[in-house]
Structures are given as structure tokens and as C-alpha cells.
């Protein structure tokens, strides 16, 4: 059976679940859908909701922060508002030399629209983007 018949979630490895909880719940404001173990760590994982359903599996692992690729992207209607709210919550937006960013860290997206990247405490990269 094709995979397009099933929901998909991003899985994010973190080095310290307590630090991750402060970021994902405190700064990003994501609601906890479920908690559970991660390997041998009781309470070492969280499933966070976004967009009306489960969206991110965050779990403690020794592989945390080992990729520079964007792991998940939120598609938003008002990028300026969302970036402003995240900045007020203490989220810092990344800047890359190959792109021209505005003062808030927003840059033009390939193919049109705009995008801004940020990282969690382990260096995992996320994006928020909009078509306008």
C-alpha cells in the first residue's frame, strides 16, 4: 500500500529532553500530544501537535543536531507576525551568507515567497515560510 495513505511526522533528535521541552513548549508554544520513553530514558520523548494533529516526534538521542538540513517547515499566512511573535518568545533566526536577509532574518524563497530559518538548542534547523 502506498505511503500517501498515511499521516507523516518529523522526528527530531535532541540531546536533553528538558532543554528541548523549554524550547518547543516554552518558545514555540507547541502543545504536548503524548509523552513516552526514548530508548532507556523514561519521559525522554514528546509528540507535539501543530496544524490540528500530531506533527513532531521529539526524542532524546546521541544523534541530536547532526544534520544541517531543514527538518520541518511551518507554512504560515502572515510570516511577519509569526517571526515577530517567535522573536519576542526568544527564538533567534539564522542567517546564511548566500542569502540576503532583512533585519528580522527573513529572506526571499526560491520560486517566490519568503522564508526564515531558526534552530533549536541542539542546532536542528526549522523554517517558517509564506507565499507572500
Amino acid at each position: 500500500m502506498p505511503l500517501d495513505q498515511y499521516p507523516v511526522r518529523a522526528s527530531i533528535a535532541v540531546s536533553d529532553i528538558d532543554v528541548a521541552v523549554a524550547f518547543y513548549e516554552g518558545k514555540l508554544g507547541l502543545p504536548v500530544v503524548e509523552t513516552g520513553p526514548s530508548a532507556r530514558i523514561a519521559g525522554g520523548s514528546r509528540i507535539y501537535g501543530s496544524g490540528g494533529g500530531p506533527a513532531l516526534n521529539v526524542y532524546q538521542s546521541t544523534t541530536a543536531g547532526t544534520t544541517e538540513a531543514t527538518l520541518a517547515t511551518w507554512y504560515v499566512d502572515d510570516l511577519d507576525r509569526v517571526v515577530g511573535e517567535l522573536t519576542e518568545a526568544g527564538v533567534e533566526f539564522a542567517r546564511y551568507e548566500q542569502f540576503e536577509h532583512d533585519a528580522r532574518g527573513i529572506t526571499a524563497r526560491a520560486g517566490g515567497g519568503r522564508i526564515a530559518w531558526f534552530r533549536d538548542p541542539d542546532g536542528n534547523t526549522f523554517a517558517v515560510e509564506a507565499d507572500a
Side-chain angles (χ1 to χ4, degrees), residues 45-124:
S45 72
R46 303 287 185 281
I47 297 175
Y48 290 107
S50 187
L56 296 178
N57 296 328
V58 176
Y59 63 98
Q60 188 164 318
S61 172
T62 58
T63 64
T66 58
T67 181
E68 292 185 29
T70 302
L71 297 174
T73 302
W74 280 267
Y75 297 90
V76 301
D77 293 330
D78 187 341
L79 185 62
D80 296 299
R81 180 182 55 78
V82 171
V83 167
E85 289 173 354
L86 290 172
T87 299
E88 286 178 19
V91 174
E92 295 181 25
F93 285 86
R95 287 165 173 75
Y96 299 98
E97 288 183 21
Q98 67 268 37
F99 300 113
E100 190 173 317
H101 300 271
D102 70 13
R104 297 161 297 170
I106 298 172
T107 188
R109 181 183 69 195
R114 301 179 309 142
I115 188 168
W117 292 275
F118 63 91
R119 296 184 186 97
D120 75 0
D122 285 294
N124 293 309

